């Protein structure tokens, strides 16, 4: 009788130890193999698809001709063509695809919120009007009594052009993306992103508010001051 | 098998999965244009990533998923409408991953401190284990590396994403019971490694 009791207690203790070990194992595996957010993977997939569909098959003579044409263009147009893009200016060129930009924004949102809008992805101390003037020649600003706090500009994953600002307000964090109106790709978020977009045109700019809920009212806080 | 705090299923439809989910997934992919394929990859991306990590290692999983997307687009005509897109993408990912492994097979040399048996298996069937980055610890990482890719995938898909063994069976083209056995034996080996006990006898890598 006593031996049965001891054996049962041993079995129970053994089972508990095994369960604890399994929990530890599961936690470690989940931490080590946590996949990236779905939106980020979808954005990468879209880029891979676009690379596949549009990859040119250039022969050497065509390549040389293209290189010569590029050199000629640089010689004629001068350093204007070689202007760097890393200073806040929006890269020029064709309007990107709205789906692709939406997927990039969703991935950027996941990234920014995962990092808590910290300095690893958010450049703080940004002068909003100066930043927008440098990028778009338009000094976009917040109203003086705006009930939002500008955390900074997002500087993590690619955002498909334009500028992305991270803000905090009473209802939680929001990303505001700014683009020139003539380069607005009509951004659409990927299905299942769990995010909502609000859009507003402000002068020659278009603003999108990206958050789990539509935040149209927040975009009313932005103005382009008369110059 | 302990399943405490197991995450919700994510992005896969399995043979014995809930019928509405299966129907929805099938209905959502009537044919594969670029948008449909991206949507399918969005739904199954995390599953593919974990599968890729099981096949070629965590550090190359991103690249394998991207390559899977590229190959899937090239072979989009081979997708039979109304079938399970996740299973189709998974098959492509496994084939692409197997090709990668074949290409790099002659290159790796086994570390000196591994047992002869483990070293031989890693040399023949390499899976990089970046223990420091993963935070797994050497013993656990070695035990994972010593598993076959199917067993590794069965365990990781179940533990990390909460897929049922029926779903894993569909993804890996194996019977549900086989998926269950692979995961159970893989767990035994990892548990032994974690506890510092002698590991159970070696598994069949497939």
């Amino acid at each position: 009788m006593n031996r049965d009791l001891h054996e049962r207690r041993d079995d129970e203790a053994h089972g508990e130890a095994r369960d604890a070990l399994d929990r530890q194992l599961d936690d470690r595996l989940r931490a080590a193999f946590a996949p990236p957010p779905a939106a980020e993977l979808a954005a990468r997939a879209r880029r891979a698809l676009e690379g596949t569909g549009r990859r040119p098959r250039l022969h050497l003579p065509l390549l040389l001709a293209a290189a010569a044409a590029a050199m000629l263009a640089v010689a004629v147009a001068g350093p204007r063509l070689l202007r760097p893009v890393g200073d806040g200016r929006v890269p020029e060129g064709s309007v990107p695809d709205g789906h692709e930009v939406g997927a990039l924004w969703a991935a950027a949102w996941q990234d920014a919120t995962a990092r808590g809008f910290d300095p690893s992805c958010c450049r703080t101390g940004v002068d909003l009007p100066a930043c927008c003037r440098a990028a778009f020649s338009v000094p976009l600003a917040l109203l003086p009594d705006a009930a939002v706090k500008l955390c900074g500009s997002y500087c993590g994953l690619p955002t498909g052009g334009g500028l992305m600002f991270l803000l905090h307000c009473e209802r939680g964090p929001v990303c505001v993306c700014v683009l020139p109106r003539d380069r607005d790709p009509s951004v659409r978020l990927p299905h299942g992103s769990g995010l909502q977009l609000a859009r507003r045109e402000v002068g020659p700019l278009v603003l999108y508010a990206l958050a789990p809920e539509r935040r149209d009212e927040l975009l009313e806080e932005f103005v382009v001051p008369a110059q | 098998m302990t399943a405490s705090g197991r995450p919700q299923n994510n992005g896969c439809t399995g043979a014995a999965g809930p019928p509405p989910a299966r129907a929805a997934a099938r209905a959502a992919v009537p044919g594969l244009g670029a948008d449909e394929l991206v949507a399918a990859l969005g739904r199954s991306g995390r599953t593919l990533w974990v599968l890729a990590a099981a096949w070629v290692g965590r550090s190359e999983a991103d690249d394998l998923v991207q390559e899977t997307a590229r190959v899937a687009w090239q072979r989009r005509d081979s997708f039979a409408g109304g079938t399970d897109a996740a299973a189709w993408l998974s098959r492509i990912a496994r084939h692409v991953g197997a090709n990668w492994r074949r290409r790099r097979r002659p290159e790796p040399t086994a570390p000196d401190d591994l047992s002869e048996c483990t070293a031989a298996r890693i040399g023949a069937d390499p899976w990089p284990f970046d223990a420091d980055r993963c935070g797994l610890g050497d013993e656990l990482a070695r035990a994972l590396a010593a598993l076959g890719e199917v067993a590794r995938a069965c365990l990781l898909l179940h533990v990390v994403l909460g897929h049922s063994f029926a779903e894993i069976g569909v993804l890996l083209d194996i019977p549900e019971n086989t998926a269950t056995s692979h995961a159970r034996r893989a767990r035994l080996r990892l548990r032994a490694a974690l506890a510092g006990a002698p590991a159970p006898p070696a598994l069949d890598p497939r």
Side-chain angles (χ1 to χ4, degrees):
Chain A
M1 186 77 174
N2 266 351
R3 215 173 74 181
D4 284 351
L5 190 62
H6 282 305
E7 281 177 0
R8 205 177 308 142
R9 280 183 183 162
D10 282 350
D11 286 348
E12 282 171 7
H14 183 71
E16 283 170 14
R18 190 191 57 208
D19 287 350
L21 213 52
D22 278 348
R23 276 193 295 274
Q24 193 185 343
L25 178 60
D26 289 355
D27 288 345
R28 285 206 199 179
L29 290 178
R30 283 185 201 121
F33 293 95
E40 188 182 325
L41 290 167
R44 283 185 200 161
R46 182 170 283 279
R47 283 200 294 276
L49 262 54
E50 287 179 353
T52 301
R54 297 176 191 167
R55 184 179 298 156
R57 291 169 182 260
L58 285 178
H59 297 293
L60 186 61
L62 287 177
L63 204 61
L64 291 173
M71 287 173 68
L72 186 64
V74 169
V76 171
R80 209 158 37 90
L81 281 177
L82 301 175
R83 189 171 66 184
V85 184
D87 58 357
R89 290 182 179 133
V90 176
E92 294 171 4
S94 59
V95 176
D97 176 76
H99 280 116
E100 182 187 358
V101 173
L104 292 173
W105 287 4
W109 168 270
Q110 296 271 5
D111 177 51
T113 50
R115 299 196 207 188
F117 284 18
D118 74 1
S120 67
C121 69
C122 177
R123 192 176 295 121
T124 53
V126 165
D127 181 340
L128 178 64
C131 197
C132 289
R133 188 185 289 114
F136 313 114
S137 307
V138 179
L140 182 73
L142 278 164
L143 288 170
D145 57 348
V148 295
K149 180 193 166 205
L150 177 65
C151 301
S153 62
Y154 177 71
C155 55
L157 300 171
T159 56
L163 297 175
M164 180 180 276
F165 296 99
L166 308 179
L167 298 99
H168 266 302
C169 62
E170 199 178 350
R171 288 172 59 191
V174 185
C175 282
V176 171
C177 309
V178 186
L179 293 163
R181 207 161 64 184
D182 58 1
R183 296 197 65 239
D184 175 19
S186 299
V187 180
R188 276 168 286 178
L189 292 170
H191 293 298
S193 67
L195 296 170
Q196 302 282 333
L197 271 182
R199 181 182 181 281
R200 182 184 165 222
E201 293 180 1
V202 184
L205 301 178
V206 58
L207 275 58
Y208 285 91
L210 179 68
E213 297 170 3
R214 272 191 75 105
R215 306 300 300 277
D216 299 81
E217 83 289 350
L218 183 128
L219 296 180
E220 300 296 329
E221 308 279 4
F222 288 87
V223 291
V224 174
Q227 298 184 59
Chain B
M1 184 173 290
T2 301
S4 57
R6 215 150 53 84
Q8 290 296 306
N9 188 353
N10 187 338
C12 164
T13 58
R22 285 174 60 77
R26 289 182 176 185
V29 191
L32 280 185
D35 285 344
E36 286 81 10
L37 181 54
V38 169
L41 285 160
R43 284 194 300 276
S44 308
R46 288 162 64 83
T47 296
L48 290 175
W49 190 92
V50 172
L51 185 71
W55 240 258
V56 296
R58 192 181 180 283
S59 56
E60 290 192 73
D62 283 355
D63 291 343
L64 181 51
V65 171
Q66 198 153 325
E67 182 66 3
T68 299
R70 199 183 64 77
V71 173
W73 178 245
Q74 287 174 340
R75 298 183 188 170
R76 60 191 179 278
D77 292 342
S78 71
F79 175 71
T83 58
D84 194 328
W88 179 68
L89 290 168
S90 159
R91 197 173 307 126
I92 291 172
R94 284 183 283 121
H95 288 167
V96 173
N99 284 338
W100 284 17
R101 293 166 66 95
R102 266 196 292 277
R103 276 206 296 272
R104 74 182 183 200
R105 182 165 290 175
E107 293 170 15
T109 53
D112 294 338
D113 59 342
L114 294 180
S115 73
E116 211 170 276
C117 169
T118 306
R121 292 191 51 185
I122 290 177
D125 207 7
W127 184 78
F129 52 94
D130 39 1
D132 289 342
R133 279 188 57 196
C134 292
L136 285 177
D138 284 346
E139 287 305 318
L140 200 52
R142 280 181 200 169
L144 258 178
L147 296 172
E149 65 267 19
V150 174
R152 208 158 39 224
C154 288
L155 183 68
L156 291 179
L157 287 169
H158 182 64
V159 170
V160 177
L161 294 179
H163 283 303
S164 70
F165 291 118
E167 291 168 338
I168 293 169
V170 171
L171 289 169
L172 300 181
D173 280 332
I174 56 175
E176 178 183 350
N177 286 344
T178 307
T180 310
S181 302
H182 272 306
R184 187 179 58 79
R185 285 182 292 175
R187 179 178 288 278
L188 285 177
R189 290 185 65 83
L190 296 193
R191 194 193 287 155
L194 195 60
L203 299 173
D204 180 346
R206 308 278 158 179

